[in-house]
Amino acid sequence: MGNAVRASRGTISRNIAGASLGALAIGLLMPAVAPAAELKPTEPAAVPAPAQPVVTQDAAAQEAPTTDEQDIVVTGFRRSLEQALTLKRDSVSAVDAIVAEDIAKFPDQNLAESLQRIPGITIQRDGGEGRAITVRGLGAQFTRVRVNGMETVATSTDGASANRDRAFDFNVFASELFSSLVVHKTAEASLDEGSLGAVVDLNTGNPLAGKAGFTGALSAQASYNDLSNNVGPRFAGLLSWRNDAGTFGASVSAAYSKINTLELGNNSVRWAQARFDSVDGTPCFFNTDAGGLPTTPKTNTGGTYFQNAACDKAALAFHPRIPRYGVVDHRRERLGITASIQFAPTDSTKISIDGLYSRFKEEREEKWAEVLLRSNERSINVLNPVYDGNNNMIAATLDDAWVRTEHYLRKSQTEFYQLGGTWDQDVTDTFRFTLLGGFSKSSADIPVETTFVYDDRDAAGYKYDYRNMASPVLTFGTSVTDPANFQLAEIRDRPSNTTNKFRTAQLRTEWDVVDGFKLKVGAVYRRFSFNTAGFLRDTAVCGNGGTDLVLGTLTCSSNTLFGPTAIYGFQATSALSDTVHLGDAGQPSGTTTQWLVPNIDAAAALTKLYSRTPLVDAGNTRSVTETVKGGYFQVDVKGDLFGLRYAANAGVRYAHTDQSSAGLNSGTNVSVTRDYDDWLPSLNVALFPTESIVLRGAISRVITRPTLGNLTPGGSVDGFNYRITFGNPQLNPFRATAYDLALEWYFAPQSIASVAVFKKAVESFPVAQTFSGTFASTGLPKSVLPTSSPAYINFDPNQIYTITGNVNGTGASLKGIELSIQAPFKFLPGFLSNFGGIANATFIDSTATYTVAGPTTVVKTSTGAFGPNVAATRTSTLFGLSKTAINGTLYYEDKKFSARGSISYRGPYVDQNSGTGNVFEGYNSTINVDASVRYRFTEWLEVSVEGVNLTDEYRYRYTDLDANRNYENNHFGRTILVGARVKM
């Protein structure tokens, strides 16, 4: 009994602060090395146990061992399901969990992909892997993540951009390092604040819950991606030891993987409206006489626009800004190490020290062939344009087009480490406390983010055709494999670093006043610091004539000169170039599939790029520091009322936040401080009409602190799209009232049928206000513009920009329903009884109001800016919210063989505001299919084959909610893992 008591106490301190005590005890007693008896709470659970013990069995244990209680031991995947259901049933609040089948053996290769099996959770993928989660329609920034009980942020640079927000990047960690994931969907006073969506607990091992002596496991896999034809290693291992007395235990685990995957597809980089040089031979710009009347056509640059039907129709229609196909190579390496030491000298005392280290290295290499319509439409002649019903110039031939090829390389590394300790003490039989403290750091470093650009600025005969919006035909009329046609025109390097730090100290106390009545009081100190710094080595090789800006060896042409004699960069050569072969990107016949790009090493050596003095990237240099001091008071009750069993908790949490935000505004570092208070009451009630039915209800006040990028007092400028964005350090937190009601029926062992309805009334929802103004009106210096941007090269202080600033808005709402069913198919005959299934579906409705900049409706008849975009108020869903999500798993398990197949559907969703006149952008629906097969030769040896993304699903991103214009469409291939696992 003493060992179980010690294990239970460790659970309270490490895993799920804020869940009921019985649920806490079960929550960490998850590793499969724990004997079955130790899975039972050693003190009364918050939810009274059924009157009779639940007897479960599966095909791996058809014959029950003879024991005093006649329990049947459940093992394997079914055991993990049973443990998760036990935790869910025994908690007062709404909790879901995923539990490792065995030590160092998590059921998915990626933590985010595991979480998507839980009702109400969807994921966002980058580079073919799950990266961030959305819980009940609320995006990653609304979810708080704790590792071994302490809040933290893990920041990676995977995907198209770095995470510089509160979102947690799950791809930083190897899944084998964790024994359980626990998701708290409703708030308790004793649960850390900061989430409108959920609090997610990631739990590593618990050596005192294991067997006496040494226990270990080692797995090795080969991971193969069929798109990259690459094989990479994946290793994981765990070693744990506990003494016979159960007073001391230690464990260490490690995981390593390395794999290359390809991302192939197309990209438009949004669609835009603009005036062209001519349309089907009809000139659009003219020289004028003294009276302002048109005289002769003015080609390529300058002149005055004069309206006619052909030119106006082309100008007001949307065209792809940078239509292109490309190859994106992801090279990833992960290393993770955990260690735990636990000491329980008496039944009343337990001390734990836990450490976690993770290193995630990634190289992302992109090679594109494109036409740069963006900002260059003035020089382009349009032939044979085709228009569709959504106001798109969906196909055309272009002359005097800016043909461009790009070679991009980003090298990044994220290092995460955390060290924490807990002291659990039973002061008396009725009073106990837990003292928890520690720190974590996540540093995402990008030492290299380099782009080299080849240009051919007078190419003829380029054709694009987006009649199949997902898979356009893009054909170059001039050779893109001949270096004689290209000049090295731009060089870029944008190193950066983002570092997050947490320091945490918590005191939690519990007092069993009388049977069925418990008081919980606690205090918390938490300090979070966020710092990001960015730098630029960008430049166009040539300015507007004169000596080049890189080596000073070229005499550059004026920007008004077009044709083969124009000099705007260094002449390309075979030695300076690499040849790209597109491969299977879903391209139709007729698409150009081979082109040259600059060689990164050769171009860097020629231009001495890395010797250039970097400039500060003002928009990506900022910081936020938050210090939270607070506490909570909570009452837990349970008992019978008129024969109806119940359990409940009610309390209030107080949080005082001191905030300091800093950023660069007009080149000057600016810092703003503020503080605010929140009182967060909550109530959770569970009723038990029968031993197998639970009815839950909850209401609470919740907050999420503002998005970090919005808090900067500085500003950022997009010199390509002529957009300026300012922050607002005075933004209020997202505040909401959350309601939850659920009915759960545990109709058989390892089985549940449930329905939950929920609503969140978000009272303060920061929104962006957009208006038009000149660059001069912002007070920003020219130096904040990227030096390679058209706005810098052709600087005009009277240029009209779209200016966006965040303000405290009027709020938003969402409501939804979750349906879930899980059961083994014991009712089927013979071997069919070894099957089982899990299915859930979530349906959400949401309303939020945004200010957007829609399409322009006028064509200006001067050399001034085209536009302006028309501001409008639009109602949509909260960003990142899919109205429908469905997950299903079919599994089979007997004594030797097990198999699982999973399918996950996520409906379309709006991701963010868009630009260049498009209203919102987001993603279309996706379906992902995964499977695994395992065979156990002996108790200690198992082999496996697993498949991820078996249908090779394409990811389609759109710009403009109404027109569903192609932003990108790409795929990542199937990943097959073959391996073996040894357990001792």
XYZ file of all heavy atoms in Angstrom, residues 281-321:
299
model
N -3.096 44.122 -77.276
C -2.618 45.137 -78.206
C -3.167 46.520 -77.966
O -2.725 47.478 -78.625
N -4.114 46.672 -77.067
C -4.665 47.991 -76.754
C -3.814 48.651 -75.675
O -3.739 48.151 -74.552
C -6.108 47.884 -76.261
O -6.905 47.269 -77.261
C -6.668 49.260 -75.925
N -3.149 49.777 -75.971
C -2.317 50.433 -74.956
C -3.185 50.964 -73.812
O -4.330 51.375 -74.009
C -1.648 51.583 -75.719
C -1.805 51.244 -77.159
C -3.078 50.466 -77.279
N -2.616 50.963 -72.610
C -3.324 51.479 -71.435
C -2.713 52.769 -70.919
O -3.381 53.518 -70.194
C -3.318 50.433 -70.321
S -4.075 48.853 -70.779
N -1.445 53.046 -71.241
C -0.755 54.248 -70.779
C -0.272 55.038 -71.993
O 0.179 54.463 -72.992
C 0.428 53.879 -69.880
C 0.030 53.356 -68.528
C -0.303 52.024 -68.359
C -0.021 54.202 -67.432
C -0.674 51.535 -67.124
C -0.395 53.724 -66.188
C -0.728 52.387 -66.025
N -0.324 56.374 -71.866
C 0.012 57.252 -72.990
C 0.851 58.426 -72.510
O 0.767 58.855 -71.343
C -1.256 57.800 -73.653
C -2.057 56.781 -74.402
C -2.953 55.965 -73.733
C -1.905 56.625 -75.774
C -3.698 55.015 -74.406
C -2.650 55.686 -76.468
C -3.543 54.873 -75.786
N 1.652 58.948 -73.475
C 2.193 60.287 -73.313
C 1.065 61.290 -73.518
O 0.058 60.981 -74.187
C 3.321 60.549 -74.324
C 4.526 59.670 -74.057
O 5.042 59.630 -72.949
N 4.982 58.950 -75.107
N 1.206 62.480 -72.989
C 0.147 63.477 -73.120
C 0.721 64.779 -73.660
O 1.913 65.072 -73.523
C -0.526 63.747 -71.768
O 0.466 64.166 -70.835
C -1.207 62.503 -71.233
N -0.188 65.572 -74.285
C 0.218 66.891 -74.754
C 0.011 67.911 -73.644
O -0.332 67.560 -72.501
C -0.553 67.267 -76.020
C -2.061 67.295 -75.801
O -2.496 67.386 -74.610
O -2.814 67.219 -76.785
N 0.210 69.173 -73.983
C 0.123 70.231 -72.977
C -1.267 70.315 -72.370
O -1.434 70.749 -71.212
C 0.513 71.578 -73.599
N -2.265 69.865 -73.088
C -3.626 69.913 -72.574
C -4.024 68.650 -71.817
O -5.179 68.501 -71.408
N -3.078 67.728 -71.640
C -3.389 66.507 -70.912
C -4.049 65.444 -71.749
O -4.504 64.423 -71.209
N -4.086 65.609 -73.044
C -4.706 64.620 -73.916
C -3.670 63.593 -74.353
O -2.476 63.904 -74.488
C -5.321 65.313 -75.144
C -6.467 66.278 -74.838
C -6.921 66.968 -76.119
C -7.624 65.555 -74.171
N -4.114 62.340 -74.618
C -3.163 61.294 -74.997
C -2.594 61.547 -76.381
O -3.300 62.014 -77.289
C -4.006 60.016 -74.968
C -5.410 60.484 -75.185
C -5.502 61.834 -74.538
N -1.303 61.218 -76.521
C -0.656 61.348 -77.825
C -0.186 59.977 -78.305
O -0.874 59.320 -79.085
C 0.526 62.333 -77.737
O 1.420 61.908 -76.689
C 0.038 63.748 -77.427
N 0.947 59.519 -77.816
C 1.490 58.220 -78.227
C 1.526 57.278 -77.029
O 1.636 57.711 -75.883
C 2.909 58.378 -78.779
O 3.734 59.002 -77.784
C 2.893 59.246 -80.038
N 1.424 55.949 -77.283
C 1.504 55.002 -76.156
C 2.833 55.114 -75.429
O 3.875 55.342 -76.044
C 1.359 53.639 -76.838
C 0.643 53.928 -78.127
C 1.133 55.277 -78.564
N 2.800 54.965 -74.115
C 3.996 54.984 -73.271
C 4.174 53.571 -72.717
O 3.405 53.116 -71.869
C 3.834 55.984 -72.124
C 5.106 56.141 -71.293
C 6.191 56.874 -72.082
C 7.359 57.280 -71.175
N 8.154 56.122 -70.744
N 5.158 52.873 -73.222
C 5.301 51.456 -72.885
C 6.201 51.246 -71.674
O 7.134 52.013 -71.436
C 5.877 50.673 -74.074
O 7.144 51.213 -74.411
C 4.952 50.762 -75.276
N 5.898 50.225 -70.941
C 6.715 49.673 -69.845
C 6.768 50.533 -68.586
O 6.755 50.014 -67.474
C 8.137 49.359 -70.304
C 8.185 48.309 -71.399
O 8.787 48.509 -72.447
N 7.532 47.179 -71.173
N 6.850 51.826 -68.696
C 6.980 52.652 -67.497
C 6.495 54.065 -67.781
O 6.507 54.523 -68.930
C 8.441 52.704 -67.025
O 8.531 53.419 -65.799
C 9.340 53.370 -68.044
N 6.041 54.745 -66.701
C 5.626 56.132 -66.823
C 4.333 56.303 -67.584
O 3.569 55.358 -67.808
N 4.031 57.549 -67.990
C 2.831 57.844 -68.750
C 1.606 58.003 -67.887
O 1.653 57.937 -66.656
N 0.477 58.203 -68.542
C -0.814 58.409 -67.884
C -1.788 57.336 -68.343
O -1.880 57.033 -69.538
C -1.384 59.792 -68.220
O -0.468 60.796 -67.769
C -2.738 60.000 -67.546
N -2.496 56.766 -67.394
C -3.483 55.729 -67.714
C -4.742 56.388 -68.270
O -5.274 57.335 -67.689
C -3.826 54.924 -66.456
C -4.795 53.786 -66.685
C -4.336 52.517 -67.025
C -6.174 53.969 -66.556
C -5.218 51.472 -67.232
C -7.068 52.928 -66.760
C -6.587 51.685 -67.107
O -7.462 50.646 -67.311
N -5.224 55.859 -69.410
C -6.488 56.301 -69.995
C -7.419 55.105 -70.102
O -7.037 54.046 -70.588
C -6.250 56.932 -71.376
C -5.717 58.334 -71.296
C -4.356 58.553 -71.203
C -6.582 59.425 -71.281
C -3.854 59.832 -71.103
C -6.084 60.718 -71.189
C -4.716 60.932 -71.096
N -8.613 55.307 -69.624
C -9.550 54.193 -69.506
C -10.045 53.726 -70.867
O -10.324 54.532 -71.764
C -10.736 54.600 -68.637
C -10.385 54.766 -67.164
C -11.610 55.101 -66.340
O -12.074 56.226 -66.365
N -12.108 54.097 -65.619
N -10.166 52.402 -71.004
C -10.877 51.763 -72.102
C -11.372 50.422 -71.591
O -10.940 49.941 -70.529
C -9.986 51.620 -73.342
C -8.761 50.764 -73.091
O -8.885 49.546 -72.895
N -7.573 51.390 -73.080
N -12.283 49.807 -72.279
C -12.956 48.608 -71.774
C -11.976 47.476 -71.509
O -12.033 46.804 -70.463
C -14.028 48.153 -72.770
N -11.033 47.230 -72.429
C -10.113 46.106 -72.278
C -9.174 46.323 -71.093
O -8.952 45.406 -70.274
C -9.305 45.914 -73.562
N -8.609 47.527 -70.999
C -7.657 47.804 -69.920
C -8.348 47.814 -68.564
O -7.809 47.311 -67.570
C -6.950 49.132 -70.170
S -5.807 49.105 -71.577
N -9.555 48.402 -68.492
C -10.273 48.448 -67.223
C -10.674 47.056 -66.745
O -10.583 46.747 -65.553
C -11.521 49.322 -67.354
C -11.197 50.809 -67.365
O -10.000 51.140 -67.273
O -12.130 51.621 -67.453
N -11.119 46.222 -67.663
C -11.530 44.872 -67.273
C -10.349 44.096 -66.709
O -10.467 43.398 -65.688
C -12.129 44.132 -68.460
C -12.710 42.767 -68.093
C -13.483 42.152 -69.254
C -14.135 40.845 -68.818
N -14.932 40.241 -69.916
N -9.185 44.217 -67.360
C -7.994 43.533 -66.863
C -7.545 44.102 -65.527
O -7.113 43.370 -64.631
C -6.878 43.630 -67.893
N -7.660 45.417 -65.369
C -7.187 46.055 -64.145
C -8.037 45.676 -62.935
O -7.518 45.489 -61.831
C -7.170 47.568 -64.328
N -9.332 45.576 -63.130
C -10.236 45.305 -62.011
C -10.342 43.815 -61.702
O -10.816 43.435 -60.630
C -11.621 45.880 -62.295
C -11.707 47.404 -62.285
C -13.104 47.873 -62.677
C -11.315 47.974 -60.932
N -9.928 42.964 -62.626
C -9.927 41.524 -62.359
C -8.723 41.165 -61.487
O -7.713 41.860 -61.456
C -9.885 40.747 -63.665
N -8.843 40.058 -60.787
C -7.742 39.550 -59.975
C -6.865 38.619 -60.810
O -7.368 37.774 -61.557
C -8.273 38.784 -58.759
C -8.700 39.677 -57.630
C -9.970 40.237 -57.613
C -7.827 39.968 -56.581
C -10.369 41.058 -56.573
C -8.222 40.791 -55.542
C -9.494 41.339 -55.527
N -5.554 38.774 -60.658
C -4.592 37.896 -61.322
C -3.626 37.341 -60.268
O -3.420 37.958 -59.214
C -3.810 38.654 -62.391
C -3.044 39.827 -61.853
N -3.575 41.102 -61.784
C -1.791 39.919 -61.321
C -2.692 41.913 -61.259
N -1.600 41.225 -60.956
N -3.003 36.196 -60.511
C -2.023 35.662 -59.544
C -0.826 36.602 -59.453
O -0.297 37.055 -60.465
C -1.651 34.299 -60.126
C -1.969 34.400 -61.581
C -3.151 35.317 -61.687
N -0.381 36.861 -58.223
C 0.733 37.793 -58.027
C 2.070 37.175 -58.412
O 2.894 37.819 -59.056
C 0.779 38.267 -56.567
C -0.416 39.095 -56.157
C -0.428 39.361 -54.655
N 0.650 40.248 -54.253
C 1.651 39.910 -53.456
N 1.732 38.665 -52.993
N 2.581 40.777 -53.122
